[in-house]
Amino acid sequence: MSAAQRARLSEWIPGARIVADRGWHGSVSAFVYEAEHDGSRLIVKAGDPSNHHIGRELDAHDGWTDVWSRDGLAARLRHASREDRVFVADHLPGELVDGTDAAFDPAVHRRAGELLRRFHDQASRPGDEGVLDRVRRSLASPHRIRPEVQEQVRALLDRLRPGTPELVPTHGDWQPRNWLLAGDDPARGLRVIDFGRFSFRSRASDLLRLAAQQWRDAPSCEDAFLDGYGADPRLGGEGAHDHWTALRLAEAVGTAAWAYQTGDDEFEAQGHRMIADVLDETEETR
């Protein structure tokens, strides 16, 4: 952390003791620590000048997370400095769902659907995500997508008419990696962390990570999630099917390109698999 960030923390939580490093593996632009101060457990997050996630987290905490935090389902912000890219929030009890059996528990996914619907329903705005342009920008960046696959992707882009669905507050990384479970009852114990990708997007965009990962092997989790959400945000409205296809394509191409640029071979392979899934399913429905 920078000297300015350390000075802020000394002002806010003097004498705090670092208990654990909670940073995501591979991240060099963000620091996440669990700390203890005056008998309270806290989370400290800081970012370097290249980190844009801290600002998004603070945007989310500017009223949008209240729908969860007032019930103890998301952390309450205690201190923050946008200028120095550092903040302190309450620590939430619970174990990370990712990597456990709970990640494939339909009851967990049903509750996740309920919580997400509560978040999405706070507001809506008209607009266009520019999802097709996102795919084209990723294709123009360094990557290892084969030329023939690029041609297929561009041909699909030319056919898609994704429409302009309403934009709502979205988490941006809605998946078990950002869910905590305290106890055995998801209806009481599921909590939400990490708002570094918060933004206004279409409702369907928050289903991308789940559809590409857990739901591929556990369709019962998808059914339970949609039951909890109360509808399928990928359906209905002009261009809804094409919008979902475009979102998946943007996620897939973006993953393959970003992972290549950062040297994450495993994640890059997932991106290529995601591209193949979209192209194969599109061909089947033509």
Side-chain angles (χ1 to χ4, degrees), residues 179-225:
W179 305 340
L180 298 177
L181 184 59
D184 299 324
D185 182 2
R188 295 174 178 264
L190 196 66
R191 296 177 169 90
V192 184
I193 61 173
D194 195 350
F195 297 92
R197 295 197 74 252
F198 169 83
S199 185
F200 271 69
R201 306 179 183 89
S202 68
R203 292 172 181 265
S205 66
D206 261 340
L207 277 61
L208 284 166
R209 304 285 166 92
L210 293 168
Q213 296 172 155
Q214 287 77 23
W215 294 354
R216 292 182 85 243
D217 300 318
S220 61
C221 288
E222 179 178 5
D223 293 340
F225 181 95

Side-chain angles (χ1 to χ4, degrees), residues 64-202:
W64 299 110
T65 60
D66 291 353
V67 71
W68 290 329
S69 62
R70 65 189 177 213
D71 295 325
L73 306 178
R76 181 174 61 90
L77 188 67
R78 290 204 176 193
H79 308 282
S81 170
R82 285 183 182 272
E83 178 185 3
D84 295 318
R85 298 175 304 281
V86 60
F87 70 86
V88 177
D90 287 335
H91 173 265
L92 289 174
E95 298 298 323
L96 199 65
V97 172
D98 192 37
T100 72
D101 291 343
F104 295 93
D105 182 347
V108 169
H109 284 256
R110 180 175 291 104
R111 180 58 171 164
E114 292 172 354
L115 293 181
L116 188 63
R117 181 63 181 264
R118 190 188 302 183
F119 195 66
H120 284 176
D121 281 354
Q122 293 183 91
S124 65
R125 302 173 180 172
D128 182 1
E129 290 178 294
V131 63
L132 300 181
D133 289 337
R134 283 169 47 203
V135 183
R136 295 186 177 99
R137 285 195 297 270
S138 292
L139 286 174
S141 70
H143 57 72
R144 290 193 288 198
I145 302 170
R146 298 194 311 274
E148 62 271 23
V149 175
Q150 294 181 56
E151 290 182 12
Q152 290 178 276
V153 169
R154 289 192 173 92
L156 178 55
L157 290 177
D158 290 340
R159 298 199 303 268
L160 292 176
R161 301 292 183 270
T164 55
E166 67 173 4
L167 307 183
V168 300
T170 62
H171 181 278
D173 196 11
W174 194 248
Q175 59 172 311
R177 191 176 74 189
N178 293 315
W179 305 340
L180 298 177
L181 184 59
D184 299 324
D185 182 2
R188 295 174 178 264
L190 196 66
R191 296 177 169 90
V192 184
I193 61 173
D194 195 350
F195 297 92
R197 295 197 74 252
F198 169 83
S199 185
F200 271 69
R201 306 179 183 89
S202 68

Side-chain angles (χ1 to χ4, degrees), residues 6-30:
R6 289 194 295 269
R8 288 286 191 181
L9 295 175
S10 295
E11 173 190 345
W12 296 334
I13 49 174
R17 181 173 65 90
I18 299 299
V19 177
D21 185 343
R22 299 299 185 189
W24 185 43
H25 71 89
S27 175
V28 295
S29 66

